[in-house]
Amino acid sequence: MNLLTRKLSLASLALAWVFSYAALAQSAPVQEPQPASTHKWALVLHGGAGVIARSSMSLEAEANYRAGLKEALTAAADVLDKGGSSLDAVESAIKLLEDNPLFNAGRGAVFAADGTNQLDAAIMDGETMRAGAVADVQRTRHPISLARAVMEQSPHVMLIGSGADDFAAHVHLEQVLPAFFFTERRWQELVRQLEKDGSPIPPRPTGAPAPPPKPIAALERPDTHKYGTVGVVALDRHGNIAAGTSTGGTTAKRWNRVGDSPIIGAGTYASNQSCAVSATGTGEYFIRLTVARTICALVQYKGMSLQDAVDEVVQKDLSAIHGDGGVVALTPDGQLAWSFNTPGMFRAKLKEGGTPQISLYREEP
Ligand code: ASP
């Protein structure tokens, strides 16, 4: 091939490429702008399970609990309605519940036997299956935000104790004095429990308000609300689900006991492949049964409906080992469920376009 023929054939190749590319570009389907989402948002939350009975709850206490649940539900709904993520919805609702002294999370958390508040929390993102958890936090105002920071700003899943608080300060999360979490009601619960056990009563925490001259009027009977952990599961318009849980654990706990709430797969779990779950109850049983992950495995591998899966694990498996408590759950296709084997569970749910449902007692829907 002489030089001229070679140049000609190269030129014709280049021309052919240009024409075929142009033809391809013309025949390519025009991209229609996609709607922002095809999913309707949804959310379910709990504020603890236990001996919650109409007969032992004053009308005022009942109204306060319903208002607290509604406030959290509304906050999460606002986030989702604006197209926000399920993670943001979970965190915003839990922050409110952590600040609400009625619930056993953040301010209002139960006391450990040594007179400290030891806070646990976890959050999980169903889209990426990233998770963050903290245990025995004592200085960070919002443990749920710290769990999220562990997930998003550290290479780890779980931090505990003073290291977790140090990390919180490092990522500029609000730090408070331990007395910030103090409530008289929880303190008196601790004192009663320790007296019952014949255990020494620790000194009131530094910075706690002076004891009232008379015991405070109980909101409800002492054992009415044994727990009070908070948890939220949410589905956003992008089809992503998330779960979060926050708690002070159990009254008079010792030896840095940690329950199920910050254990991924036990008290908290989320995966877009199956479901999102937040649990409440005596954590030891939930850890042994890996309650949250088991529920999602039933949905994922057995093709169970969400309601069947939560009932299977809570009503059958948990009850069989004498565990007590309940769960809230949802799936990416918008199934919502709860199940509990205690006389009551503070709970609420809402779907986009629907009306909020807030329930306390077993006999409520
Ligand atoms: N599950 C929590 C724990 O065992 C307590 C609760 O849910 O009330 O720490």
Side-chain angles (χ1 to χ4, degrees), residues 48-53 224 280 325-326 340-347 359-363:
V51 187
I52 300 159
T224 298
T280 176
F340 52 97
N341 65 2
T342 43
M345 180 166 84
F346 297 119
R347 58 201 189 277
S359 308
L360 276 53
Y361 311 114
R362 171 162 285 290
E363 62 274 16

Side-chain angles (χ1 to χ4, degrees), residues 5-21:
T5 1
R6 243 173 84 188
K7 271 189 179 163
L8 274 174
S9 67
L10 270 178
S12 57
L13 256 176
L15 265 177
W17 182 84
V18 167
F19 283 125
S20 62
Y21 182 81

Side-chain angles (χ1 to χ4, degrees), residues 124 126 129 241 265 269-277 291-310 313 330-333 335:
M124 187 158 180
M129 290 190 65
I241 58 176
Y269 188 77
S271 163
N272 279 7
Q273 303 303 311
S274 51
C275 67
V277 176
V291 161
R293 174 60 194 148
T294 300
I295 289 168
C296 293
L298 291 175
V299 170
Q300 187 171 357
Y301 300 119
K302 272 200 156 184
M304 273 192 179
S305 77
L306 187 66
Q307 190 64 54
D308 285 351
V310 294
V313 174
L330 57 62
T331 58
D333 66 3
Q335 299 175 60

Side-chain angles (χ1 to χ4, degrees), residues 227-229 247 249-250 257 259-261 280-283:
Y227 304 110
T229 292
T247 188
T250 49
R257 174 265 186 197
D260 61 314
S261 311
T280 176
T282 306

